[in-house]
Amino acid sequence: MSRALELAVAAAQAGDVPVGAVVLDSAGTIIGEGHNQRELAHDPTAHAEVLALRDAATTSGSWRLDGCTLVVTLEPCLMCAGALLAARVQRLVIGAWDDKAGATGSKWDVVRDSRIGSKVEVISGVRADESAALLQKFFESRR
C-alpha cells in the first residue's frame, strides 16, 4: 500500500483524483503500477487500477493475472471491478471505501457476485485513514 499511496500523491500533483494502484505477483513483487491519469491523458478509462492492470499484463506477458493481487488506495468503480475480474485477479486490497461509486463491497459487490462465478478475496481498510485524507485534501482544495 505504501507504493500505491505514493502513486496517489503523484496523481494529485498532476491534477487528478489521488488514487494509486499496484499489482503484485504471487511472490509479492510489484509487476504493475498506475495512478489516475484521466486529466493528463484526456481518457475517461485512465483509472489507476486499469493502468496498473495494463502494466502488469505487459510485464507478465499475459492478460491473465491469475494469482495476483491488486492493491488500490480507493475502492474500485464498476469499470475497474470489471477489469480486475477480466484479468482474473485473485485478491483485492483496498485503502478507503468509495460510498458513492464503489463496486467491490460498499455500493455494489461485483467481484463477489455469485451470478458472475468469480470470487475475489477483498481485504479492506489497509491504511484507510491515509487514503481518505489524500482524497479529502484534494477535494477541499477544489472547493
Side-chain angles (χ1 to χ4, degrees):
M1 186 61 80
S2 293
R3 181 62 183 148
L5 285 162
E6 290 172 4
L7 291 164
V9 169
Q13 290 170 342
D16 215 322
V17 178
V19 179
V22 295
V23 177
L24 308 173
D25 66 13
S26 59
T29 302
I30 294 176
I31 61 168
E33 58 182 40
H35 61 76
N36 276 1
Q37 294 186 32
R38 296 175 307 163
E39 299 297 335
L40 179 67
H42 309 292
D43 179 355
T45 68
H47 289 208
E49 301 94 323
V50 170
L51 297 175
L53 291 169
R54 287 177 185 163
D55 191 30
T58 298
T59 299
S60 69
S62 175
W63 62 268
R64 290 179 183 90
L65 299 176
D66 298 304
C68 288
T69 299
L70 174 66
V71 179
V72 62
T73 59
L74 180 66
E75 179 186 9
C77 68
L78 282 166
M79 175 184 70
C80 295
L84 75 94
L85 285 173
R88 300 183 180 162
V89 170
Q90 177 181 340
R91 182 178 303 106
L92 171 66
V93 177
I94 301 168
W97 288 109
D98 184 349
D99 295 329
K100 293 180 183 176
T104 62
S106 63
K107 193 79 167 166
W108 300 281
D109 198 355
V110 174
V111 298
R112 294 179 287 195
D113 189 320
S114 62
R115 296 170 293 180
I116 296 172
S118 197
K119 299 287 186 265
V120 175
E121 177 186 3
V122 177
I123 300 166
S124 61
V126 177
R127 299 179 71 177
D129 291 343
E130 292 169 78
S131 298
L134 282 173
L135 291 159
Q136 183 176 4
K137 181 180 176 184
F138 176 82
F139 286 113
E140 282 176 358
S141 73
R142 297 280 193 253
R143 292 185 192 136

